[in-house]
Amino acid sequence: MHTAARLCWGAVTALVALPLAAQQPPGLDVPYVPTPPEVVAVMLALANPTRSDVLYDLGSGDGRIVIEAARRFGTRGVGVDLNPVRVEEAIANARRRGVQDRVRFRQQDLFDTDLRPASIVTLYLLPRVNLELRPKMFQQLRPGTRVVSHAFDMGDWEPDTTVAVRVNQGTGRAMVYAWTIPAQVAGRWTLTTPEGRRVALQLRQRYQRFTGPGGVSGRLVGERIDFTLTERVNGRTVTRRFSGRVTGDGMSGRVAGGGAWRAVKVPPGAPR
């Protein structure tokens, strides 16, 4: 059974030091240990929440991340946890901090949770749960959504940012990882250069990185795109940097050194 309860930052050490039977009710397979305040601060700094954001904390425990985001930034939030004791505690904590109008807490399996409203997702879970969640995040979260995980990464999905945080009065260290859900650019595109030439591109994408013919190599941060392309310009072979934004089946921007470019995605099945 999957759970939305949390795992402590020092997984192996903590699981030895804290007997499972004392940490979780029957039926929950991930023990709950609160996130240290200094880690909460770093997670929120990486997530960069605003009043217009919606933060989902998966494995919300006593609600401290959701509550702190609401208190400091006015961010709306939803905490998800399977443990009814933790959910009631989080609701009470929100009332005490005066943010009950900005946050909600649900007793729910995180795999049954619809993540589509979220613009920020925070996690403190087991490594295997992160990996099982990864496809759901790519399916449901919009490009530009920030994902921040305490203690555990996402396997071969390279984080955009990694921060080591000193905890326990400087005697321990916790890792925080942050990603941005990238736009999807895999497929065939027709790119128009600043000089009006049309270039056919077949892009291959792996998470936020992509490659293609002509030496195309690039990276995505949400809908922002940046890549290099090697081509012939006025009889010379040049490598230029293209930057811009992806908007569905189109993208456009500027070339380093001047000039605008645009590209349109070729529909599947269209003749080559």
Side-chain angles (χ1 to χ4, degrees), residues 150-163:
H150 175 195
F152 302 111
D153 61 18
M154 291 279 179
D156 61 355
W157 181 16
E158 174 190 357
D160 297 317
T161 307
T162 301
V163 178

Side-chain angles (χ1 to χ4, degrees), residues 34-50:
T35 302
E38 52 268 52
V39 176
V40 173
V42 170
M43 293 179 74
L44 291 179
L46 293 177
N48 192 28
T50 68

Side-chain angles (χ1 to χ4, degrees), residues 158-175:
E158 174 190 357
D160 297 317
T161 307
T162 301
V163 178
V165 185
R166 288 292 179 184
V167 295
N168 297 335
Q169 298 180 334
T171 63
R173 188 179 75 162
M175 301 305 296

Side-chain angles (χ1 to χ4, degrees), residues 62-234:
D62 63 7
R64 60 183 61 193
I65 291 178
V66 175
I67 291 168
E68 189 68 3
R71 189 183 69 82
R72 291 179 54 194
F73 306 103
T75 307
R76 291 173 295 153
V78 176
V80 180
D81 205 295
L82 269 184
N83 190 333
V85 175
R86 297 280 79 83
V87 172
E88 289 302 317
E89 181 182 11
I91 292 171
N93 287 341
R95 289 197 196 101
R96 273 195 295 271
R97 301 309 295 271
V99 295
Q100 67 273 16
D101 60 329
R102 303 293 294 173
V103 304
R104 298 290 182 271
F105 294 96
R106 302 174 184 168
Q107 182 189 347
Q108 187 176 43
D109 190 306
L110 60 87
F111 287 90
D112 295 330
T113 301
D114 183 358
L115 301 179
R116 285 174 292 186
S119 55
I120 298 171
V121 174
T122 55
L123 312 164
Y124 191 8
L125 303 166
L126 287 166
R128 65 171 175 81
V129 180
N130 277 11
L131 293 181
E132 291 171 10
L133 264 178
R134 194 174 68 186
K136 180 184 179 79
M137 286 195 253
F138 274 95
Q139 180 184 28
Q140 293 192 350
L141 297 177
R142 300 180 300 277
T145 301
R146 289 89 80 196
V147 178
V148 183
S149 176
H150 175 195
F152 302 111
D153 61 18
M154 291 279 179
D156 61 355
W157 181 16
E158 174 190 357
D160 297 317
T161 307
T162 301
V163 178
V165 185
R166 288 292 179 184
V167 295
N168 297 335
Q169 298 180 334
T171 63
R173 188 179 75 162
M175 301 305 296
V176 179
Y177 305 93
W179 302 260
T180 303
I181 297 292
Q184 295 301 304
V185 298
R188 294 167 57 199
W189 294 80
T190 300
L191 181 146
T192 303
T193 70
E195 298 78 24
R197 291 187 308 278
R198 293 191 174 185
V199 180
L201 298 178
Q202 178 74 49
L203 300 183
R204 300 177 296 276
Q205 182 174 358
R206 185 169 179 80
Y207 307 118
Q208 67 268 55
R209 297 187 181 277
F210 62 93
T211 58
V216 169
S217 176
R219 185 180 181 93
L220 291 148
V221 179
E223 294 179 329
R224 299 201 312 272
I225 187 169
D226 189 275
F227 64 96
T228 57
L229 171 65
T230 301
E231 56 177 337
R232 298 284 293 179
V233 179
N234 298 326

